[in-house]
Amino acid sequence: MEIQKHKTILLVEDQALIAMETKSVLKDLGYEVVLALSGEDAIQIITNNQNINLILMEMDLGSGIDGSETAKQIHTFRDLPIVFFSHHSGKEYVDKAKIITRYGYILKNSGKHILQSSLEMAFELFDLNQKLKNSKEHFQNLYNQAQDMYFTINTDGIVISVNKFGADYLGYTKEELIGNSVWQVVHKDDLSFVQNYISEVINQNIETNELEFRKICKDGSVIHVHEKLNLVYNKKGELEIRIICRDITEGKLAEKQIKQRENYLIALNQAKKILLKSESKDIFQQFIDIIGPVSHACRTYIFINSLDKNGKILMNQKAEYCADGIKPEIDNPDLQNLKYDDLFPRFYNVLKKGHIYKGIIRDFPKEEKEFLEIQNIKAILIIPIMSDNKFIGFIGFDNCSSEKEWSALEQNFLQATANDLAQFIEKNKSQELLLLENKRFQTTMNAIDAVVYVADMDTYELLFMNKYAMNIMGDVIGEKCYSSLQKGQTKPCDFCTNHLLLDENGKPNEPYIWEFQNTKTKQWYQCSDQAISWTDGRLVKLEIATDITESIQAKGEIQKLLKEKEILLKEVHHRIKNDMNVIKSLLSIQSRRINNSEASAALQDAISRVESMGTLYDKLYKSESYHDVSTKNYLTQLIDEIFNLFPNRQSVQIKSRIDDFSLEIKEIFPVGIILNELLTNSIKYAFPEIEKGLIQISLTKMKKHIILSYEDNGVGLPESDNVKQMGFGLTLIDLLTKQLNGTYKIERNNGTKFIIEFDK
């Protein structure tokens, strides 16, 4: 097809499998396809790829920016047609699409021909909009260059003056227009409107006004014009009307074509909905009543094939639409049970191959022309209805008022209606197969060792029960499910799942799995509920309920054991805390008995480290989670407890700003030890000659990046880059920072500052 030639579509779909399937369909339709799995990817591709002709985009794109926001960003730098392609038909999604300059909103699973027609329409609309845009720019240039039609008329409509461009444009000389009535160039159907409009402008003395209507050129051609009227008085004090007239025919025709294509798409969707409601007896007539008017045919009809007793193919008219003034042929007996062999051979040979039979009747062979002219047909379009490549009928369109034919785009839309009819006919045939499948269904369900039943979703009538269910509940088919399967229930159950089994479009959802204790048997069941299509086509509820009573009882025992383990785990943490307090006490006693100041200081360092670990375990003991700890609660308390260990703390002030977030135990533990080392070192060594020491601590988190800043205004560390020469404390800080996969740096400026950074 020409419209697809060299066209490239950017498919934006976050679901990989759906994207692959849609891409395959688009390639089958003749398009080149570029795939983006997110809105961000789509923007990048559009930025770098100038060959994209159209964007087919899902509205809901997962965790990134959605389809509407993606479209907005793309339109800031590229003017491309965007068609939304989504499972969502809810108002909120459609409203989102409305605020974007879009060229269609296609529901997924609408069918290949709907997708094809919608894309072709989008390309056509975009081309027309470009023409309209170019047309407006063209008109603006003409106006700026004074290439408009200028008229001056008096209040009686007599032309006083006209510019050469205006006269030439209408095919006249200036002399042929001046002194004559301006109404001679106004279309007869618009004349009354224009005269009344100008009279009202004059009577109300409206200095400036505008209107649109049709003019007739000298050669009889019709143009659409936009006129701007200005009331002025000449030197004699006489009222004149000066007119600036501009041809807007191209824009009007573009608008008309856009509207026509929109009407086709609306009708196509409405007709498809009619076919989905297949319970109606006059389904073909309802269908044709929608398609007929929008096709602009004088007569539209549907014929379905059948076989006579000899196996000959017959055509039978099922429905007909006629425009006003057109004679119906639905009751013509010659058009019922008509053999294709009785008609001209070309008609059947063309249609059975799946080709369209069309043309202007006067150009047809004599035999065909004579048959069709009897019905006053001047142009015809007949589209075959094909099912599994078999010719099963046709939909026809007659033009009885003119020889106007249907454009290629219109034929594509009408071809889509024939495809819809084929699917409808196939669906009806499948009902017979459904009856056979029901027999197989019953055999399979009777073999299942679980309760299985089927109930009407509106009346709650039991339609089927397997043998397992009847052995428990008895044969209660035909009764209400709520009164037969539950104890003392006189109305639909509060826990009924019917409302969960259909989506907002009335289509079956995935199976709903739930657990329930039956009020009659007192047994526990795991239930799998799903809406399925029954033999008569209605949606019913299928429930498969497996007895899980023993499993539920076992689950209770498991919960009891888990509770006991939880208590035991808390007891372990409690004992660890006590053991740490014992260790701390032993170290403290030993420290007081040692006269060696260096050894005593080492023991005090050990006491501080044990204190830090004890605080962490205390937090664990009180926390509901054994995996994460609040930084603000833990570190604030840790800083206070370490600070209170030192007798000279009155001369030191601590300012801390700890953000409140959670860290895992393996992360908070090293941070606590690092702070213990830094605080201990500062309080003991940083302020020997300073009356008022200051320590500033901050812990901040930006996304996943964490920064620990520690600063004092003490005497500072010695100038050395060798960690091993700076003592055990700094060696420990170095090791713990590496454990966090982080980095640290030391700044020596009016004290010492440590900056430690790592990612969560």
PDB file of all heavy atoms in Angstrom, residues 594-613:
ATOM      1  N   ILE A 594      44.942  -0.315  87.451  1.00  0.00           N
ATOM      2  CA  ILE A 594      46.231  -0.178  86.755  1.00  0.00           C
ATOM      3  C   ILE A 594      46.766   1.227  86.986  1.00  0.00           C
ATOM      4  O   ILE A 594      46.060   2.220  86.792  1.00  0.00           O
ATOM      5  CB  ILE A 594      46.058  -0.447  85.247  1.00  0.00           C
ATOM      6  CG1 ILE A 594      45.702  -1.926  85.023  1.00  0.00           C
ATOM      7  CG2 ILE A 594      47.324  -0.100  84.482  1.00  0.00           C
ATOM      8  CD1 ILE A 594      45.444  -2.274  83.581  1.00  0.00           C
ATOM      9  N   ASN A 595      48.013   1.269  87.394  1.00  0.00           N
ATOM     10  CA  ASN A 595      48.645   2.569  87.649  1.00  0.00           C
ATOM     11  C   ASN A 595      49.244   3.169  86.381  1.00  0.00           C
ATOM     12  O   ASN A 595      49.520   4.365  86.326  1.00  0.00           O
ATOM     13  CB  ASN A 595      49.719   2.420  88.729  1.00  0.00           C
ATOM     14  CG  ASN A 595      49.106   2.015  90.071  1.00  0.00           C
ATOM     15  OD1 ASN A 595      48.002   2.462  90.389  1.00  0.00           O
ATOM     16  ND2 ASN A 595      49.802   1.173  90.838  1.00  0.00           N
ATOM     17  N   ASN A 596      49.474   2.311  85.386  1.00  0.00           N
ATOM     18  CA  ASN A 596      50.076   2.778  84.136  1.00  0.00           C
ATOM     19  C   ASN A 596      49.031   3.581  83.357  1.00  0.00           C
ATOM     20  O   ASN A 596      47.997   3.061  82.951  1.00  0.00           O
ATOM     21  CB  ASN A 596      50.546   1.570  83.311  1.00  0.00           C
ATOM     22  CG  ASN A 596      51.320   2.005  82.071  1.00  0.00           C
ATOM     23  OD1 ASN A 596      50.810   2.759  81.274  1.00  0.00           O
ATOM     24  ND2 ASN A 596      52.559   1.535  81.947  1.00  0.00           N
ATOM     25  N   SER A 597      49.317   4.884  83.166  1.00  0.00           N
ATOM     26  CA  SER A 597      48.327   5.771  82.520  1.00  0.00           C
ATOM     27  C   SER A 597      48.063   5.380  81.070  1.00  0.00           C
ATOM     28  O   SER A 597      46.936   5.507  80.570  1.00  0.00           O
ATOM     29  CB  SER A 597      48.813   7.231  82.574  1.00  0.00           C
ATOM     30  OG  SER A 597      50.061   7.352  81.903  1.00  0.00           O
ATOM     31  N   GLU A 598      49.116   4.908  80.385  1.00  0.00           N
ATOM     32  CA  GLU A 598      48.938   4.537  78.981  1.00  0.00           C
ATOM     33  C   GLU A 598      48.035   3.315  78.861  1.00  0.00           C
ATOM     34  O   GLU A 598      47.133   3.263  78.015  1.00  0.00           O
ATOM     35  CB  GLU A 598      50.296   4.244  78.347  1.00  0.00           C
ATOM     36  CG  GLU A 598      50.201   3.955  76.839  1.00  0.00           C
ATOM     37  CD  GLU A 598      51.586   3.769  76.210  1.00  0.00           C
ATOM     38  OE1 GLU A 598      52.586   4.114  76.862  1.00  0.00           O
ATOM     39  OE2 GLU A 598      51.629   3.297  75.064  1.00  0.00           O
ATOM     40  N   ALA A 599      48.260   2.317  79.746  1.00  0.00           N
ATOM     41  CA  ALA A 599      47.413   1.125  79.721  1.00  0.00           C
ATOM     42  C   ALA A 599      45.987   1.473  80.119  1.00  0.00           C
ATOM     43  O   ALA A 599      45.010   0.958  79.560  1.00  0.00           O
ATOM     44  CB  ALA A 599      47.985   0.057  80.661  1.00  0.00           C
ATOM     45  N   SER A 600      45.843   2.372  81.104  1.00  0.00           N
ATOM     46  CA  SER A 600      44.502   2.775  81.544  1.00  0.00           C
ATOM     47  C   SER A 600      43.746   3.475  80.411  1.00  0.00           C
ATOM     48  O   SER A 600      42.550   3.264  80.212  1.00  0.00           O
ATOM     49  CB  SER A 600      44.618   3.702  82.756  1.00  0.00           C
ATOM     50  OG  SER A 600      43.337   4.138  83.163  1.00  0.00           O
ATOM     51  N   ALA A 601      44.479   4.309  79.653  1.00  0.00           N
ATOM     52  CA  ALA A 601      43.846   5.011  78.528  1.00  0.00           C
ATOM     53  C   ALA A 601      43.386   4.029  77.464  1.00  0.00           C
ATOM     54  O   ALA A 601      42.315   4.182  76.862  1.00  0.00           O
ATOM     55  CB  ALA A 601      44.829   6.028  77.933  1.00  0.00           C
ATOM     56  N   ALA A 602      44.217   2.985  77.225  1.00  0.00           N
ATOM     57  CA  ALA A 602      43.834   1.970  76.236  1.00  0.00           C
ATOM     58  C   ALA A 602      42.568   1.255  76.667  1.00  0.00           C
ATOM     59  O   ALA A 602      41.679   0.967  75.854  1.00  0.00           O
ATOM     60  CB  ALA A 602      44.981   0.975  76.040  1.00  0.00           C
ATOM     61  N   LEU A 603      42.461   0.960  77.989  1.00  0.00           N
ATOM     62  CA  LEU A 603      41.249   0.295  78.477  1.00  0.00           C
ATOM     63  C   LEU A 603      40.035   1.216  78.358  1.00  0.00           C
ATOM     64  O   LEU A 603      38.915   0.769  78.070  1.00  0.00           O
ATOM     65  CB  LEU A 603      41.451  -0.144  79.938  1.00  0.00           C
ATOM     66  CG  LEU A 603      42.401  -1.335  80.139  1.00  0.00           C
ATOM     67  CD1 LEU A 603      42.619  -1.581  81.617  1.00  0.00           C
ATOM     68  CD2 LEU A 603      41.845  -2.586  79.472  1.00  0.00           C
ATOM     69  N   GLN A 604      40.245   2.528  78.612  1.00  0.00           N
ATOM     70  CA  GLN A 604      39.132   3.472  78.450  1.00  0.00           C
ATOM     71  C   GLN A 604      38.644   3.510  76.996  1.00  0.00           C
ATOM     72  O   GLN A 604      37.447   3.602  76.721  1.00  0.00           O
ATOM     73  CB  GLN A 604      39.568   4.883  78.889  1.00  0.00           C
ATOM     74  CG  GLN A 604      39.620   5.072  80.379  1.00  0.00           C
ATOM     75  CD  GLN A 604      38.249   4.934  81.028  1.00  0.00           C
ATOM     76  OE1 GLN A 604      37.235   5.260  80.426  1.00  0.00           O
ATOM     77  NE2 GLN A 604      38.222   4.405  82.248  1.00  0.00           N
ATOM     78  N   ASP A 605      39.601   3.419  76.032  1.00  0.00           N
ATOM     79  CA  ASP A 605      39.201   3.360  74.613  1.00  0.00           C
ATOM     80  C   ASP A 605      38.364   2.115  74.342  1.00  0.00           C
ATOM     81  O   ASP A 605      37.356   2.158  73.617  1.00  0.00           O
ATOM     82  CB  ASP A 605      40.442   3.340  73.713  1.00  0.00           C
ATOM     83  CG  ASP A 605      41.156   4.687  73.711  1.00  0.00           C
ATOM     84  OD1 ASP A 605      40.537   5.674  74.159  1.00  0.00           O
ATOM     85  OD2 ASP A 605      42.312   4.739  73.248  1.00  0.00           O
ATOM     86  N   ALA A 606      38.790   1.007  74.935  1.00  0.00           N
ATOM     87  CA  ALA A 606      38.037  -0.239  74.741  1.00  0.00           C
ATOM     88  C   ALA A 606      36.639  -0.124  75.328  1.00  0.00           C
ATOM     89  O   ALA A 606      35.659  -0.612  74.759  1.00  0.00           O
ATOM     90  CB  ALA A 606      38.795  -1.413  75.372  1.00  0.00           C
ATOM     91  N   ILE A 607      36.560   0.531  76.528  1.00  0.00           N
ATOM     92  CA  ILE A 607      35.243   0.723  77.159  1.00  0.00           C
ATOM     93  C   ILE A 607      34.322   1.521  76.236  1.00  0.00           C
ATOM     94  O   ILE A 607      33.140   1.212  76.074  1.00  0.00           O
ATOM     95  CB  ILE A 607      35.403   1.430  78.525  1.00  0.00           C
ATOM     96  CG1 ILE A 607      36.061   0.481  79.528  1.00  0.00           C
ATOM     97  CG2 ILE A 607      34.059   1.912  79.050  1.00  0.00           C
ATOM     98  CD1 ILE A 607      36.476   1.155  80.820  1.00  0.00           C
ATOM     99  N   SER A 608      34.864   2.565  75.595  1.00  0.00           N
ATOM    100  CA  SER A 608      34.049   3.391  74.686  1.00  0.00           C
ATOM    101  C   SER A 608      33.534   2.570  73.512  1.00  0.00           C
ATOM    102  O   SER A 608      32.388   2.705  73.082  1.00  0.00           O
ATOM    103  CB  SER A 608      34.869   4.575  74.162  1.00  0.00           C
ATOM    104  OG  SER A 608      35.231   5.424  75.223  1.00  0.00           O
ATOM    105  N   ARG A 609      34.419   1.705  72.988  1.00  0.00           N
ATOM    106  CA  ARG A 609      33.999   0.890  71.842  1.00  0.00           C
ATOM    107  C   ARG A 609      32.917  -0.104  72.243  1.00  0.00           C
ATOM    108  O   ARG A 609      31.963  -0.360  71.514  1.00  0.00           O
ATOM    109  CB  ARG A 609      35.213   0.176  71.248  1.00  0.00           C
ATOM    110  CG  ARG A 609      36.229   1.149  70.633  1.00  0.00           C
ATOM    111  CD  ARG A 609      37.389   0.448  69.959  1.00  0.00           C
ATOM    112  NE  ARG A 609      38.295   1.414  69.355  1.00  0.00           N
ATOM    113  CZ  ARG A 609      39.493   1.772  69.861  1.00  0.00           C
ATOM    114  NH1 ARG A 609      39.920   1.228  70.992  1.00  0.00           N
ATOM    115  NH2 ARG A 609      40.239   2.666  69.258  1.00  0.00           N
ATOM    116  N   VAL A 610      33.068  -0.701  73.414  1.00  0.00           N
ATOM    117  CA  VAL A 610      32.040  -1.624  73.899  1.00  0.00           C
ATOM    118  C   VAL A 610      30.728  -0.871  74.134  1.00  0.00           C
ATOM    119  O   VAL A 610      29.636  -1.373  73.858  1.00  0.00           O
ATOM    120  CB  VAL A 610      32.514  -2.326  75.190  1.00  0.00           C
ATOM    121  CG1 VAL A 610      31.365  -3.141  75.800  1.00  0.00           C
ATOM    122  CG2 VAL A 610      33.689  -3.231  74.892  1.00  0.00           C
ATOM    123  N   GLU A 611      30.840   0.393  74.646  1.00  0.00           N
ATOM    124  CA  GLU A 611      29.643   1.205  74.884  1.00  0.00           C
ATOM    125  C   GLU A 611      28.870   1.426  73.578  1.00  0.00           C
ATOM    126  O   GLU A 611      27.638   1.352  73.541  1.00  0.00           O
ATOM    127  CB  GLU A 611      30.060   2.557  75.472  1.00  0.00           C
ATOM    128  CG  GLU A 611      28.892   3.445  75.873  1.00  0.00           C
ATOM    129  CD  GLU A 611      28.316   3.040  77.220  1.00  0.00           C
ATOM    130  OE1 GLU A 611      28.972   2.264  77.926  1.00  0.00           O
ATOM    131  OE2 GLU A 611      27.204   3.492  77.537  1.00  0.00           O
ATOM    132  N   SER A 612      29.611   1.691  72.465  1.00  0.00           N
ATOM    133  CA  SER A 612      28.977   1.913  71.168  1.00  0.00           C
ATOM    134  C   SER A 612      28.232   0.677  70.707  1.00  0.00           C
ATOM    135  O   SER A 612      27.083   0.737  70.274  1.00  0.00           O
ATOM    136  CB  SER A 612      30.032   2.302  70.133  1.00  0.00           C
ATOM    137  OG  SER A 612      29.458   2.393  68.858  1.00  0.00           O
ATOM    138  N   MET A 613      28.867  -0.489  70.826  1.00  0.00           N
ATOM    139  CA  MET A 613      28.211  -1.723  70.409  1.00  0.00           C
ATOM    140  C   MET A 613      27.017  -2.027  71.305  1.00  0.00           C
ATOM    141  O   MET A 613      25.982  -2.509  70.859  1.00  0.00           O
ATOM    142  CB  MET A 613      29.208  -2.880  70.439  1.00  0.00           C
ATOM    143  CG  MET A 613      30.249  -2.803  69.308  1.00  0.00           C
ATOM    144  SD  MET A 613      31.336  -4.229  69.254  1.00  0.00           S
ATOM    145  CE  MET A 613      32.354  -3.935  70.695  1.00  0.00           C
TER     146      MET A 613
END
